[in-house]
Amino acid sequence: MIVVKVPLKITLFGEYAVVFRKPAIAATLPVYMSFKVTPNNDGLLHIKSSTLLGKLYMVSIDRTSLKVINSYVEEAEVLKFLRYVLKALELCEAEIRPGSKKGLYIEMESPVPAGVGLGSSAAVSVATVSACLATYTSSTEVDRNLIARIAWRTEQEVQGAASPMDTYTITFGGLRYIEPSVPFAEEIKTQQKLPVLVGYVPKKATTAELVNDVKRKGAIVPEIFNAIMDTIGLIVNNAKQAILKNDLEMLGILMNMNHGLLEALNVVSVEHSMIVKALRAVGALGAKTSGAGGGGAFVALARSHFEIPMLSKVAEAFNAKIIASEIGSSGVMIAIS
Ligand code: PMV
């Protein structure tokens, strides 16, 4: 059996602009999805999870005809994740063993519900590619560049457009400066752990829907849209310097500016607007929507780690769930047992 642990992630700076080849800063969270993968010879993909939808689901699908053989729950979210798993397997096999279609039994466990905007679809892609490469090579020493490249391709094919940010961050782990045009995910080494708080509220639309809507509206006012993207790129480069200098005040200012531009793109939900303003009002140096928006994840920067419990309480008062107060955990981990 192959066991893959894969972290979720947040975007600190640069979401959306990274789709248009501007840099971004993202980090893994010490919160992991786990995949237990056992190869079998029936040519079917069996997936079981009791946590991704908050209830047990099992689905079996014929890998050649893509026919669902049996399913305990036929929900859009199950099928959505299945698309990432099937595409990741197809692309991995095309690379490593063309023509092969292995049967697999996959048991998934997730600490968060599907689609909250913490990179969960990228985590599914990275985990599936990692398990596939480890299965075919019978080794846990899998090339991370290869994992990230195939997982990114998976996201692009399933969603239509995706930056390499989520897949590269989740594969390599840590706090990363993403150069999407290479693509490359440079590790940013911090002098001290950043005092951040990460939480989420339910998300109302998928990342693909939100990105398409932003693109469509941007095309109506291209000059202004491009100026916003350029400004986000500038914010990201300044934020990298602020992190390297451990200048928390500057980092907070940049976080608030980045959030303002996400408001301009109209991807910030009412709940997020309230949470972000409340967190700043009680002393957070900065707070912003993280990722695609439409609800989903947010991140706040505190003056110090001591203030994190107080900020958590404020966010919880707005029905947010707190998921982490630390960033920069390890990337994907693969074991054979
Ligand atoms: O909300 P998430 O974790 O799916 O992040 C999406 C980030 C975007 O920049 C909006 C899209 C992308 O592909 O980078």
Side-chain angles (χ1 to χ4, degrees):
M1 178 168 67
I2 315 273
V3 181
V4 179
K5 277 184 77 184
V6 66
L8 298 176
K9 73 117 226 342
I10 47 147
T11 313
L12 283 169
F13 295 94
E15 48 278 273
Y16 286 100
V18 71
V19 179
F20 298 90
R21 299 183 149 232
K22 306 289 173 199
I25 297 175
T28 42
L29 303 175
V31 178
Y32 293 85
M33 278 178 142
S34 98
F35 280 59
K36 292 182 184 146
V37 182
T38 319
N40 59 33
N41 295 321
D42 62 7
L44 300 179
L45 177 67
H46 307 273
I47 299 191
K48 180 180 168 196
S49 176
S50 55
T51 54
L52 208 51
L53 294 176
K55 60 184 166 205
L56 177 74
Y57 77 77
M58 276 180 81
V59 59
S60 301
I61 185 160
D62 185 313
R63 290 209 50 209
T64 310
S65 67
L66 297 186
K67 246 183 95 155
V68 175
I69 306 293
N70 71 58
S71 171
Y72 279 72
V73 225
E74 282 243 16
E75 291 200 21
E77 286 299 340
V78 178
L79 298 174
K80 185 186 140 205
F81 275 94
L82 210 58
R83 294 213 314 270
Y84 289 95
V85 175
L86 287 165
K87 183 54 78 180
L89 282 176
E90 179 195 319
L91 294 175
C92 164
E93 286 173 340
E95 181 99 19
I96 196 153
R97 196 71 53 84
S100 182
K101 275 193 200 301
K102 226 184 231 321
L104 291 174
Y105 178 83
I106 303 180
E107 205 175 323
M108 271 184 211
E109 294 298 324
S110 171
V112 293
V116 290
L118 292 160
S120 51
S121 61
V124 169
S125 306
V126 168
T128 308
V129 173
S130 303
C132 168
L133 293 172
T135 302
Y136 278 100
T137 59
S138 303
S139 164
T140 56
E141 299 298 311
V142 181
D143 175 4
R144 284 182 190 257
N145 278 304
L146 184 61
I147 298 174
R149 182 164 58 75
I150 302 174
W152 178 31
R153 186 110 204 97
T154 303
E155 290 237 302
Q156 286 174 306
E157 293 209 8
V158 174
Q159 290 170 201
S163 78
M165 172 173 66
D166 288 12
T167 40
Y168 277 70
T169 303
I170 286 170
T171 302
F172 289 96
L175 176 60
R176 302 249 162 201
Y177 175 84
I178 319 294
E179 272 282 11
S181 45
V182 181
F184 183 64
E186 176 197 346
E187 183 163 20
I188 307 176
K189 293 234 174 6
T190 50
Q191 298 164 22
Q192 275 150 28
K193 279 189 183 305
L194 292 174
V196 293
L197 176 73
V198 182
Y200 66 91
V201 298
K203 200 169 146 178
K204 296 188 191 88
T206 66
T207 295
E209 285 161 357
L210 289 156
V211 171
N212 285 333
D213 196 50
V214 165
K215 273 188 171 171
R216 190 182 65 75
K217 289 182 178 150
I220 298 172
V221 281
E223 230 179 309
I224 300 166
F225 182 75
N226 292 339
I228 292 177
M229 295 300 127
D230 288 346
T231 309
I232 294 178
L234 262 180
I235 290 175
V236 170
N237 285 329
N238 278 266
K240 183 183 175 191
Q241 295 312 317
I243 293 171
L244 290 172
K245 288 188 286 188
N246 201 39
D247 187 339
L248 296 186
E249 188 185 358
M250 179 176 170
L251 205 55
I253 291 169
L254 293 166
M255 217 175 235
N256 293 339
M257 287 178 168
N258 196 159
H259 181 80
L261 294 174
L262 294 174
E263 287 272 16
L265 297 176
N266 197 29
V267 295
V268 176
S269 69
V270 177
E271 296 84 349
H272 269 207
S273 287
M274 293 194 295
I275 292 168
V276 159
K277 289 226 169 84
L279 290 172
R280 290 178 197 160
V282 296
L285 290 172
K288 68 181 274 292
T289 285
S290 166
F298 62 88
V299 57
L301 180 71
R303 280 176 200 280
S304 74
H305 291 279
F306 295 112
E307 286 166 34
I308 297 282
M310 180 271 292
L311 294 180
S312 303
K313 288 220 160 59
V314 171
E316 280 166 350
F318 288 88
N319 292 326
K321 291 240 175 345
I322 301 305
I323 186 90
S325 53
E326 232 182 84
I327 55 170
S329 56
S330 71
V332 62
M333 291 179 274
I334 310 166
I336 298 182
S337 70

